[in-house]
Amino acid sequence: MIAELVCLAEPVPGQRCGAPVQRRDELTCVCTECETEYRVLGEVPHLLWGDLQPLNDHREDGEFATYHEHHFGAFVTDERTDSSTAAPSIWHEVGTAHAPSEIFYATVLDVIRPYLSGVGLAVDVGCKLGRMAAEISAAGAERTIGIDISPPSLEEARRILFHPEGSPVLTFALRARRTRPVVATLPWRLSPDRLSFVCADARRLPLRDGAADLVLLLNVVDATPKPAEIVQEAWRCVAPGGRLVISDPFDYLDTAKRSGHIYELTGFLDADDVVPHPYQSVIPYPLRVAWSQVVAVYQSNLAIFEKRQT
């Protein structure tokens, strides 16, 4: 069982139990103090509590076809495209081209690679099919946890990433909602001892305070009406001296898309924990020039915040 996992139950309303969770049998894990039970499906602990329920608890082949292409299309020999050519916007309307996705993965990995040395635990919140979690694990993090609220996505991530020959069968989309099978050749051989997955909600992460040296929120804050809530919860899990990485794919020039969302996140951290202006810990995303309020500095949509040592 993952040592950093803690119980989310609230014996006292508004106060988390926070005790360690341990594996009891193949289908159950349990809190060591309040004895709250959580299910385990396919080696994935489901640590959800109260009104936090999976947003998508069923598999949709059409959805996975899109994610298969964007996450792993570059590893299908006859589907590769020229990833050296940057798209006008890496985030917007990538269609069936895999190049923009590959630019994203390569660039984010290059940005965070200098910080992977000595990382004991990295956490990818909103990992979906686990591509970035796999990259981080392969790049040297001692242990990596991918967290997502979609059980089918985590099941699919494990099927793909832990394929014994590294050649999983994927589904790519055709027109008229038809699909076709393809075989990927993955560049990694990943171990469940170093890469694991947990079903949980980003609003209430089942991790103890300061559990992780590196926490990633990649393309997550645009999917919630209360992004500051998610950012604060992720920040809670960052260890002193650790780092929080936030990326935002939202097109801020499209007012219709951002209606109802609140993106004033520049004040989400305590003043003592953030490198003062001009935010020397922020690394601008090199492929995007459209203004983004998520980081609100350097016209960037990727930021790295370092928590000061206490």
Side-chain angles (χ1 to χ4, degrees):
M1 199 67 185
I2 302 168
E4 291 80 6
L5 293 182
V6 296
C7 178
L8 297 175
E10 297 183 355
V12 177
Q15 181 178 336
R16 301 185 195 182
C17 171
V21 173
Q22 66 180 17
R23 187 75 172 265
R24 186 170 66 186
D25 53 44
E26 290 185 0
L27 299 177
T28 314
C29 54
V30 62
C31 174
T32 56
E33 291 190 9
C34 72
E35 298 185 348
T36 296
E37 295 182 354
Y38 300 91
R39 64 176 179 170
V40 177
L41 296 178
E43 297 300 318
V44 176
H46 287 226
L47 273 70
L48 297 155
W49 175 255
D51 61 347
L52 302 181
Q53 297 298 325
L55 297 177
N56 179 11
D57 204 3
H58 62 282
R59 177 170 179 150
E60 296 181 3
D61 289 337
E63 178 187 18
F64 278 155
T66 299
Y67 281 110
H68 281 177
E69 291 187 71
H70 290 170
H71 285 225
F72 304 107
F75 306 132
V76 177
T77 303
D78 61 350
E79 300 289 337
R80 290 174 182 163
T81 57
D82 181 9
S83 61
S84 64
T85 304
S89 169
I90 187 173
W91 310 106
H92 188 55
E93 299 297 334
V94 296
T96 58
H98 312 306
S101 298
E102 287 308 303
I103 295 172
F104 165 69
Y105 291 119
T107 304
V108 174
L109 190 60
D110 285 346
V111 168
I112 66 176
R113 195 185 301 276
Y115 308 109
L116 289 177
S117 177
V119 167
L121 177 64
V123 179
D124 183 12
V125 179
C127 68
K128 205 60 179 181
L129 299 188
R131 167 68 187 274
M132 186 55 71
E135 295 279 11
I136 293 171
S137 182
E142 184 176 332
R143 290 184 301 122
T144 304
I145 301 174
I147 295 179
D148 203 274
I149 199 171
S150 168
S153 295
L154 299 179
E155 177 186 349
E156 187 71 355
R158 286 180 51 84
R159 183 190 73 83
I160 293 172
L161 298 175
F162 298 144
H163 189 277
E165 286 82 36
S167 303
V169 176
L170 307 179
T171 301
F172 278 13
L174 294 173
R175 294 182 179 180
R177 297 186 179 181
R178 293 183 298 127
T179 60
R180 61 190 172 95
V182 296
V183 177
T185 303
L186 302 184
W188 333 281
R189 292 296 182 270
L190 303 168
S191 168
D193 294 332
R194 294 185 55 193
L195 173 61
S196 54
F197 295 94
V198 175
C199 181
D201 193 297
R203 296 170 293 176
R204 193 177 300 180
L205 297 173
L207 298 170
R208 58 175 172 79
D209 294 354
D213 302 303
L214 181 68
V215 177
L216 295 94
L217 286 173
L218 303 179
N219 309 356
V220 173
V221 295
D222 67 306
T224 173
K226 296 182 179 179
E229 179 183 10
I230 289 178
V231 173
Q232 289 168 346
E233 175 67 354
W235 184 249
R236 177 187 65 80
C237 301
V238 177
R243 295 173 176 89
L244 171 64
V245 182
I246 304 174
S247 75
D248 161 45
F250 219 68
D251 186 350
Y252 282 85
L253 302 181
D254 189 336
T255 56
K257 287 187 176 182
R258 71 172 189 260
S259 61
H261 287 68
I262 303 171
Y263 287 98
E264 296 294 341
L265 296 185
T266 54
F268 65 79
L269 302 178
D270 294 335
D272 292 340
D273 289 332
V274 184
V275 176
H277 185 78
Y279 294 98
Q280 296 176 0
S281 65
V282 173
I283 299 177
Y285 194 78
L287 301 175
R288 170 82 175 221
V289 295
W291 172 66
S292 169
Q293 288 186 352
V294 169
V295 293
V297 287
Y298 304 137
Q299 296 184 340
S300 164
N301 74 338
L302 182 86
I304 297 181
F305 294 94
E306 180 175 334
K307 182 174 284 191
R308 289 182 175 179
Q309 297 278 359
T310 55

